[in-house]
């Protein structure tokens, strides 16, 4: 019996090793960069990492600032781009990142991207606060989807791994890394990760797509009010996803924030695929074109005010 168990264990070990090699060679699962929490309680990626998204030809790379993507800085003419996985854009070549595409439209400015999956609206403001101190950008573009607002309010859905505001006590909840040890094992043992993706029986309900909730204006109003009172929003421009709730847009406008609303005209080519709502390279190019047009107006108006 003992010999039989040894054979079974050895056979299983060999199968796992061979499976891991096959999955890595054919890039059947994405490489996921490891996170850490910096001194400002912002979750970033450990610098120097690289890897492949599923079947991608080019590697993604984590830059010295702990982000994926464009990271150019020029004094007095840098525009930051902050957002969730749409800005992280790990599923597309870096040529399709907003920073590179906007640079073609607005060559006089440099672009710095800070994107990470799971960022909430209020966390983008925390990041903008830090970037204001560290690189002093001229403008900060914050790309937002409906769930970024929903996930910022702990009374709607409570998350421990992202910044949230408790409306009841007006307290900002600082996030923690979620199961870092187990995630490290999962992402590095490709057979486990492949199985996890194919049979996501352990995926939490809150992580299975968009959260559908009724719109409670009082909660969102208190969120926006808190942000208007606790953050310097003077150089921020909110870029609203094509599917953004009109009520949220109206509420943000009531507080006088600058916004750019995107319009996809239901063009399915904007999406990576039928089961992936992230923007394709075509979608990113359309987004950059719309933003460049409207951002040019903001820049022009500010220059006119400075000349007066």
């Amino acid at each position: 019996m003992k010999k039989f168990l040894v054979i079974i264990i050895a056979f299983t070990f060999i199968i796992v090793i061979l499976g891991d090699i096959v999955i890595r060679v054919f890039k059947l699962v994405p490489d996921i960069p490891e996170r850490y929490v910096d001194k400002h309680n912002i979750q970033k990626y450990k610098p120097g990492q690289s890897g492949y998204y599923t079947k991608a030809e080019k590697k993604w790379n984590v830059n010295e600032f702990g982000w994926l993507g464009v990271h150019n800085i020029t004094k007095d003419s840098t525009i930051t781009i902050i957002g969730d996985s749409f800005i992280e854009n790990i599923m597309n070549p870096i040529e399709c990142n907003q920073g590179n595409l906007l640079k073609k439209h607005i060559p006089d400015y440099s672009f710095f991207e800070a994107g990470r999956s799971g960022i909430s609206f209020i966390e983008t403001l925390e990041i903008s606060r830090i970037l204001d101190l560290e690189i002093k950008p001229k403008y900060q573009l914050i790309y937002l989807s409906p769930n970024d607002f929903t996930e910022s309010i702990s009374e709607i859905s409570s998350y421990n791994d992202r910044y949230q505001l408790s409306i009841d006590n007006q307290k900002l909840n600082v996030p923690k890394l979620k199961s870092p040890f187990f995630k490290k094992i999962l992402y590095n043992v490709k057979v486990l990760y492949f199985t996890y993706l194919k049979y996501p029986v352990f995926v939490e309900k809150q992580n299975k797509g968009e959260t559908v909730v009724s719109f409670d204006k009082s909660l969102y109003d208190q969120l926006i009010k808190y942000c208007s009172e606790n953050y310097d929003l003077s150089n921020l421009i909110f870029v609203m996803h094509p599917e953004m709730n009109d009520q949220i847009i109206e509420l943000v406008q009531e507080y006088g924030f600058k916004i750019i609303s995107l319009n996809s005209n239901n063009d399915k080519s904007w999406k990576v695929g039928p089961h992936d709502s992230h923007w394709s390279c075509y979608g990113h190019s359309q987004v950059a074109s719309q933003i460049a047009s409207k951002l040019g107006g903001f820049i022009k108006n500010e220059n006119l005010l400075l000349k007066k």
Side-chain angles (χ1 to χ4, degrees):
M1 184 65 180
K2 184 177 180 181
K3 184 177 180 181
F4 177 74
L5 289 175
V6 171
I7 293 173
I8 292 296
I9 293 172
F11 180 76
T12 302
F13 181 75
I14 292 171
I15 291 297
V16 169
I17 294 297
L18 290 176
D20 206 80
I21 292 172
V22 170
I23 292 170
R24 289 176 186 273
V25 169
F26 292 97
K27 303 173 189 171
L28 299 180
V29 297
D31 294 323
I32 306 297
E34 186 178 351
R35 297 183 186 183
Y36 77 102
V37 178
D38 74 359
K39 63 182 180 180
H40 303 293
N41 290 315
I42 299 297
Q43 291 185 40
K44 295 182 177 180
Y45 295 121
K46 292 183 177 180
Q49 297 178 86
S50 64
Y52 290 98
Y53 192 73
T54 309
K55 297 182 179 179
E57 294 182 2
K58 295 182 179 180
K59 283 186 173 184
W60 51 256
N61 293 280
V62 180
N63 59 46
E64 62 191 282
F65 300 96
W67 304 109
L68 296 160
V70 180
H71 56 288
N72 298 318
I73 301 173
T74 303
K75 186 179 180 181
D76 299 327
S77 61
T78 297
I79 298 175
T80 61
I81 297 172
I82 307 170
D84 57 15
S85 54
F86 282 80
I87 298 307
E88 182 183 63
N89 201 29
I90 196 172
M91 67 291 301
N92 289 311
I94 196 170
E95 291 83 5
C96 301
N97 278 35
Q98 286 294 294
N100 282 325
L101 294 170
L102 285 170
K103 181 69 174 178
K104 294 179 180 178
H105 291 281
I106 314 174
D108 293 337
Y109 283 81
S110 297
F111 293 88
F112 182 100
E113 296 176 334
R116 200 201 71 237
S117 300
I119 287 180
S120 63
F121 163 61
I122 204 159
E123 186 166 1
T124 65
L125 298 184
E126 282 292 311
I127 293 171
S128 73
R129 188 209 300 272
I130 303 307
L131 293 179
D132 257 334
L133 295 172
E134 293 180 342
I135 66 176
K136 297 177 172 55
K138 184 74 172 177
Y139 302 99
Q140 304 213 60
L141 297 173
I142 295 184
Y143 291 59
L144 299 166
S145 59
N147 257 31
D148 296 332
F149 289 91
T150 302
E151 293 172 2
S152 291
I153 302 172
S154 63
E155 281 76 10
I156 295 177
S157 294
S158 181
Y159 297 87
N160 294 323
D161 62 341
R162 63 201 70 184
Y163 270 96
Q164 289 192 301
L165 176 68
S166 172
I167 300 298
D168 291 339
N169 58 27
Q170 292 292 288
K171 179 182 177 182
L172 192 62
N173 300 325
V174 178
K176 299 178 181 179
L177 286 176
K178 191 175 182 178
S179 306
F181 176 75
F182 293 105
K183 282 187 175 181
K184 188 171 184 176
I185 294 174
L186 177 66
Y187 294 150
N188 285 282
V189 181
K190 300 300 183 184
V191 171
L192 287 179
Y193 192 36
F194 180 83
T195 305
Y196 172 84
L197 293 177
K198 289 293 182 182
Y199 307 100
V201 293
F202 300 111
V203 178
E204 290 186 30
K205 194 173 183 180
Q206 68 180 26
N207 292 328
K208 291 183 179 179
E210 295 286 299
T211 304
V212 180
V213 295
S214 58
F215 184 82
D216 186 334
K217 184 177 180 180
S218 64
L219 289 177
Y220 290 89
D221 182 76
Q222 291 180 73
L223 170 67
I224 303 302
K225 182 181 179 182
Y226 175 91
C227 294
S228 68
E229 294 174 348
N230 290 275
Y231 297 94
D232 179 8
L233 308 178
S234 60
N235 68 344
L236 301 188
I237 300 172
F238 296 160
V239 178
M240 301 299 199
H241 192 280
E243 297 175 6
M244 180 61 73
N245 187 320
D246 289 338
Q247 292 171 294
I248 292 178
I249 293 177
E250 291 172 4
L251 189 58
V252 170
Q253 288 178 320
E254 286 179 14
Y255 280 87
F257 302 143
K258 296 186 284 291
I259 70 166
I260 295 174
S261 291
L262 300 173
N263 183 6
S264 66
N265 291 316
N266 295 316
D267 185 352
K268 294 182 179 179
S269 299
W270 272 44
K271 297 182 179 181
V272 170
H275 304 296
D276 191 338
S277 61
H278 291 101
W279 295 324
S280 62
C281 283
Y282 169 78
H284 272 281
S285 67
Q286 295 300 303
V287 169
S289 178
Q290 291 185 28
I291 290 174
S293 176
K294 295 179 181 180
L295 182 58
F298 286 124
I299 295 172
K300 184 177 180 180
N301 289 338
E302 183 170 306
N303 289 339
L304 287 174
L305 289 174
L306 290 173
K307 290 179 180 179
K308 289 183 179 181

